[in-house]
Amino acid sequence: MNAKESFNQYLKNVSSVLSIAAFVMGAAALTLSIKHPNSTVIATADIQAVMDAQKLVWVQRMKTGEGTQVLNDSREFQRKLEQVLARLAQDRNVVILDKNAFVAGVDVTDLTEVIMNELDLSASETLRLRQRLENEFFSDFPTMRKDRP
């Protein structure tokens, strides 16, 4: 298995672990909030969007030759994300549920942008990176371009 395949497998594993962790944290927090309904507020976060943004940054950095540093950073990402989530939950006295698992609610705050900022990720930069990557990839396949007539 080459480095790229190994990195892709690692990202898949990180995604799975983070999804499970977010679900477990949300379920545990929801259980606690049911016992103390007036003490905790529910918030959501699109964890997949955060992970996708980080992956785009890593892909861009790998293209500039930072492969070794990206691998090192990727190993630390899960810990950093968990620390950010735990700190936000405590500081804001909120239960953070994964936005994709949340069904309905009233006055629920979305913390996705706050989490991305804490991880030094930018939604606008992520969009720009995604578009650039798609344009580079689809430039070899004109019929697959999203902007085709």
Side-chain angles (χ1 to χ4, degrees):
M1 185 181 312
N2 65 31
K4 186 175 181 180
E5 291 170 340
S6 176
F7 179 69
N8 287 337
Q9 183 60 41
Y10 178 78
L11 288 178
K12 288 179 186 176
N13 290 342
V14 168
S15 294
S16 297
V17 168
L18 290 175
S19 295
I20 291 168
F23 179 76
V24 169
M25 285 173 49
L30 185 58
T31 301
L32 291 174
S33 70
I34 290 171
K35 291 180 183 175
H36 307 286
N38 295 328
S39 63
T40 307
V41 176
I42 302 286
T44 62
D46 191 342
I47 301 301
Q48 189 61 52
V50 172
M51 291 187 312
D52 289 347
Q54 183 62 69
K55 289 175 191 176
L56 284 169
V57 170
W58 287 335
V59 167
Q60 185 64 30
R61 288 179 54 204
M62 287 184 82
K63 290 174 72 176
T64 62
E66 297 181 47
T68 302
Q69 185 59 41
V70 167
L71 287 173
N72 291 336
D73 291 349
S74 69
R75 290 182 184 109
E76 292 295 316
F77 179 71
Q78 179 179 349
R79 182 188 57 76
K80 279 178 61 176
L81 179 60
E82 288 174 356
Q83 286 177 341
V84 167
L85 292 171
R87 186 172 39 73
L88 285 173
Q90 183 169 0
D91 291 352
R92 295 175 179 235
N93 194 33
V94 296
V95 174
I96 303 172
L97 299 176
D98 191 315
K99 190 173 188 173
N100 296 318
F102 190 72
V103 179
V106 177
D107 296 327
V108 177
T109 303
D110 183 355
L111 295 175
T112 305
E113 188 173 331
V114 173
I115 293 166
M116 288 181 67
N117 288 337
E118 292 283 330
L119 295 169
D120 295 323
L121 299 169
S122 161
S124 61
E125 177 68 12
T126 299
L127 179 59
R128 190 182 62 74
L129 287 173
R130 182 183 315 272
Q131 289 171 340
R132 186 183 325 157
L133 188 62
E134 286 176 355
N135 288 338
E136 288 173 7
F137 178 75
F138 291 134
S139 67
D140 293 333
F141 306 99
T143 58
M144 294 178 68
R145 284 195 188 120
K146 290 184 177 184
D147 60 347
R148 68 182 179 149

